[in-house]
Amino acid sequence: MKLEWDRIEGKNAFTGYGQNYVEINGKRHESGLLVLSGQIIEGWGLAGFEALQVEDFEQLAALAPDIALFGSGPTLRFPAPELLRPLIEAGIGLEVMNTPAACRTWNILVSEGRKVVAALLMI
């Protein structure tokens, strides 16, 4: 699906998504990644949902967003509570949704100037 989006100068925006990929500023990404307004970190969660570890969420917390979006792939899946301890201890809010919903929500939050990071799985 293509997303109609007026690009915010210098910021990442999701411009499309589909089965096993997302598109950011017109560039296709087919593996797990962390997305910040001005940076993309590839290689996050490559082993899939079942292999997520505390260290994955420590990496997310180290980015110090106000809010984190977790895109669990094509279906909504909640990570085990013990994995989220780094976010809880840092006082970072987490919204869990499927990856397409995370893309749409990201665009809204970035347009509002929020400090957000998206952690997306491609399954």
Side-chain angles (χ1 to χ4, degrees):
M1 165 177 270
K2 288 272 190 206
L3 296 175
E4 295 299 322
W5 180 253
D6 293 327
R7 288 190 188 170
I8 299 172
E9 196 63 38
K11 306 241 180 190
N12 288 319
F14 288 94
T15 52
Y17 57 82
Q19 187 169 343
N20 300 321
Y21 79 93
V22 296
E23 200 173 272
I24 302 170
N25 297 336
K27 183 179 177 197
R28 190 176 176 125
H29 298 269
E30 297 179 348
S31 63
L33 51 114
L34 296 174
V35 183
L36 295 91
S37 64
Q39 181 182 10
I40 298 170
I41 302 169
E42 298 187 271
W44 190 85
L46 290 179
F49 184 84
E50 289 79 14
L52 287 172
Q53 298 180 7
V54 171
E55 292 80 14
D56 296 311
F57 292 92
E58 286 173 345
Q59 183 183 9
L60 186 56
L63 298 170
D66 294 332
I67 188 166
L69 304 177
F70 175 68
S72 60
T75 59
L76 178 63
R77 298 175 75 181
F78 288 87
E82 61 270 13
L83 298 178
L84 305 179
R85 180 145 317 278
L87 297 172
I88 294 165
E89 289 174 353
I92 298 169
L94 178 71
E95 294 292 332
V96 178
M97 54 196 75
N98 65 29
T99 296
C103 293
R104 295 187 301 269
T105 303
W106 165 271
N107 283 351
I108 292 167
L109 293 174
V110 167
S111 73
E112 295 174 350
R114 303 284 301 275
K115 187 176 178 187
V116 60
V117 62
L120 306 177
L121 295 177
M122 304 301 152
I123 300 174

